[in-house]
Amino acid sequence: MHKAERLPVHRGPAAWNSILPAEPASPQLEGDISVDVAIVGGGFAGLSAARRLRLNDPQIRVAVLEAGPLADGASGRNSGFMIDLPHDIQSEDYAGKGVSADRKMIGLNRAAIDFARSAVEEYGINPAFFDPLGKINGAASGTGHALNVSYAEHLKHLGEDSEMLDARDMHEVTGSRHYTSGLFTPGTVLLQPAGYIRSVAAGLRRDGIQVFERSPVATIDKSGQSWELSTTKGRVRAGKVIMANNGHLESFGFARKRLMHVFLYASMTAELDDAALSKLGGRSRWGVTPSDPMGTTMRRIDTAQGGNRIVTRTCASYLPGMVPSEAGVERAAKVHRRKFADRFPTIADVPMEYSWAGHLCLSWNGVAVMRELESGLFSACCDNGLGTVRSTLTGIAAADLLLGRHSEISAHFLAEAEPPKLIPSPFAEIGANLYFRWKEWQAREE
Ligand SMILES: Cc1cc2nc3c(=O)[nH]c(=O)nc-3n(C[C@H](O)[C@H](O)[C@H](O)COP(=O)(O)OP(=O)(O)OC[C@H]3O[C@@H](n4cnc5c(N)ncnc54)[C@H](O)[C@@H]3O)c2cc1C
């Protein structure tokens, strides 16, 4: 039997969810049900797996079991950049593992974006939740600009378009005079992540897939040829299971000591009033990632996405116990305030309405855990920090593997090595967090 040693613990509200109008929740699982496939986790990976199963087998009976409310986990706590290009957050300038590997990854990332787009079209999802606006790597120092130049060069080798913006262009887009330059790339989609997740789940439900919220899976047990999963108030008998619970795969005893649990932090302003909007200027929607991966991501959203607001994302902590602290959120919120004021001094007094932490799962060698863990039990986990695309892909891959259907996406993940075992050390957590602080300090202007 696989027993959940722990369930997700969140700190701070999932703001993207909070700013949308309330909608009827999916039911909680009560009583016993029988399905062909049970999916543990209702984020990008779990919902993508469910949709892929249904697309390939319209008769298949699927249940998605989500521990919390939908979009309350990392899938509703991110910055919403669905990025097509290499975006290796463990590198200096996002360039990946060389030209041919990067070309392949771009193809896969675009397949994930197309898969999401097809769900948006088929389910009639609000286009403001899936905006193909592109993104800008903002630079605020000579070092940041140099990183953009090197990344632009790498993109040129890949045959990818990019456009260098100067300080005036950056001001015209963002209303901020903080940025000295920026590198625009057109292929990123900007999500309202909670809107997207909730709407995909609603579409799946209309398609006959059962989606249960507030239904944490406590145990998974092999019973003859099938599996039995228990939740707080119910039980599921399933022919097969897909684990799509990201870092909490380890909570069930899989990939033990091979996954790195990192938390990122973000804050969102209160709605900007007319006075603040006229001082701010710039466009009503944009997304700026930092030229240095350890810098600060900023997004401006508008009323169709939950209000005229600005989102600031920076700071990271390595937390092997998977429990972020109130103090960690407070520390990050102070940094967010400072970064916001640096960029928007004329509206520095606008309060932050929400600050939160969210869980990433990384592996030392940047691979996912997408395979059959035991007969009939599959994994679509380990997002490596870029789950809007990566977890969409692992979800698709796990569904294909389960159905015995060869695809380029499943072949990609099956060819990956296993994540190596991490060296257990009482100093690892301290060392990793000191490293993050040092990198944050180095990227302080970005
Ligand atoms: C502040 C921040 C900014 C980010 N920005 C970006 C970005 O701009 N672009 C990008 O691509 N990525 C970004 N990310 C990362 C992105 O959010 C994740 O990669 C993505 O959410 C991973 O999706 P997932 O479905 O694999 O996992 P999750 O979103 O973590 O979903 C897994 C689900 O499993 C559920 N679960 C866990 N245990 C159980 C259980 N026992 N029973 C049932 N359910 C369970 C959880 O509640 C959770 O909802 C960001 C993350 C953070 C925190």
Side-chain angles (χ1 to χ4, degrees):
M1 180 193 280
H2 304 287
K3 196 166 181 294
E5 285 164 13
R6 52 174 110 65
L7 291 172
V9 176
H10 301 303
R11 291 281 174 237
W16 293 100
N17 224 349
S18 309
I19 62 175
L20 290 178
E23 270 177 25
S26 302
Q28 187 176 23
L29 177 68
E30 290 185 17
D32 293 2
I33 60 166
S34 250
V35 289
D36 299 312
V37 183
I39 298 177
V40 182
F44 286 94
L47 299 183
S48 302
R51 178 165 154 76
R52 182 71 158 196
L53 288 170
R54 175 46 62 102
L55 286 173
N56 286 312
D57 180 354
Q59 303 308 322
I60 199 162
R61 296 168 309 146
V62 179
V64 177
L65 300 157
E66 166 52 47
L70 282 166
D72 198 45
S75 288
R77 289 172 177 263
N78 55 70
S79 306
F81 289 73
M82 203 169 197
I83 302 172
D84 59 335
L85 295 173
H87 194 84
D88 183 350
I89 56 171
Q90 299 187 50
S91 76
E92 294 291 316
D93 67 352
Y94 299 116
K97 298 185 173 71
V99 169
S100 79
D102 279 358
R103 282 213 178 106
K104 186 172 178 212
M105 210 56 231
I106 292 170
L108 292 173
N109 291 343
R110 289 188 177 147
I113 293 174
D114 287 346
F115 182 82
R117 181 179 290 111
S118 72
V120 169
E121 286 165 2
E122 191 185 320
Y123 297 147
I125 294 175
N126 181 348
F129 297 169
F130 184 90
D131 188 358
L133 199 61
K135 77 173 179 79
I136 301 170
N137 270 6
S141 65
T143 318
H145 180 63
L147 290 170
N148 269 348
V149 170
S150 109
Y151 186 53
E153 195 57 33
H154 182 64
L155 292 179
K156 203 161 123 195
H157 283 305
L158 294 171
E160 293 296 332
D161 288 341
S162 67
E163 185 191 346
M164 199 60 87
L165 308 180
D166 63 16
R168 235 186 20 206
D169 300 325
M170 289 301 284
H171 177 246
E172 188 268 316
V173 175
T174 64
S176 169
R177 296 200 185 275
H178 180 76
Y179 298 103
T180 51
S181 67
L183 185 70
F184 172 75
T185 49
T188 290
V189 171
L190 295 180
L191 298 175
Q192 202 306 2
Y196 171 81
I197 289 289
R198 279 165 43 167
S199 309
V200 170
L204 290 170
R205 284 197 301 267
R206 288 197 299 275
D207 255 2
I209 290 188
Q210 303 188 70
V211 181
F212 297 101
E213 299 185 53
R214 293 161 286 113
S215 304
V217 174
T219 58
I220 304 175
D221 206 0
K222 185 98 194 182
S223 152
Q225 287 309 298
S226 54
W227 292 89
E228 202 169 280
L229 293 80
S230 70
T231 66
T232 323
K233 292 188 180 166
R235 266 184 319 178
V236 181
R237 182 172 280 276
K240 291 179 178 163
V241 177
I242 296 178
M243 305 296 289
N245 55 345
N246 209 15
H248 282 281
L249 180 68
E250 188 166 2
S251 303
F252 283 89
F254 297 108
R256 216 181 261 284
K257 305 257 181 286
R258 292 176 191 273
L259 305 179
M260 300 189 288
H261 303 286
V262 170
F263 283 73
L264 297 186
Y265 301 84
S267 293
M268 185 186 276
T269 62
E271 270 225 71
L272 306 178
D273 61 17
D274 288 346
L277 284 174
S278 72
K279 281 190 216 159
L280 171 64
R283 300 184 189 166
S284 68
R285 287 184 199 169
W286 45 260
V288 173
T289 43
S291 53
D292 178 324
M294 285 306 288
T296 305
T297 298
M298 305 292 298
R299 251 191 89 178
R300 161 87 157 86
I301 58 169
D302 66 14
T303 40
Q305 298 167 314
N308 285 300
R309 300 168 187 270
I310 293 181
V311 186
T312 306
R313 197 251 353 119
T314 195
C315 298
S317 327
Y318 177 56
L319 299 172
M322 303 188 208
V323 180
S325 68
E326 247 353 296
V329 174
E330 276 166 26
R331 176 190 88 86
K334 277 195 195 134
V335 179
H336 298 154
R337 280 229 60 85
R338 200 172 66 240
K339 301 281 183 180
F340 178 77
D342 288 348
R343 283 153 182 78
F344 303 105
T346 58
I347 55 165
D349 55 345
V350 170
M352 291 293 171
E353 188 170 351
Y354 305 101
S355 294
W356 67 91
H359 186 176
L360 304 184
C361 173
L362 314 181
S363 60
W364 188 256
N365 51 352
V367 301
V369 183
M370 197 305 294
R371 59 194 162 82
E372 189 166 10
L373 298 166
E374 289 178 15
S375 175
L377 183 87
F378 299 81
S379 163
C381 295
C382 194
D383 63 314
N384 281 291
L386 274 182
T388 63
V389 282
R390 193 66 81 88
S391 300
T392 299
L393 290 171
T394 50
I396 294 171
D400 287 351
L401 187 62
L402 182 149
L403 292 175
R405 185 176 179 272
H406 174 84
S407 70
E408 199 192 330
I409 299 176
S410 60
H412 169 80
F413 289 107
L414 287 172
E416 283 186 335
E418 217 186 331
K421 265 215 151 139
L422 304 168
I423 300 158
S425 150
F427 302 113
E429 186 171 348
I430 300 167
N433 284 311
L434 284 173
Y435 176 76
F436 278 141
R437 296 290 182 286
W438 175 60
K439 295 297 274 182
E440 279 166 20
W441 182 81
Q442 275 191 320
R444 63 196 175 283
E445 289 179 72
E446 302 302 331

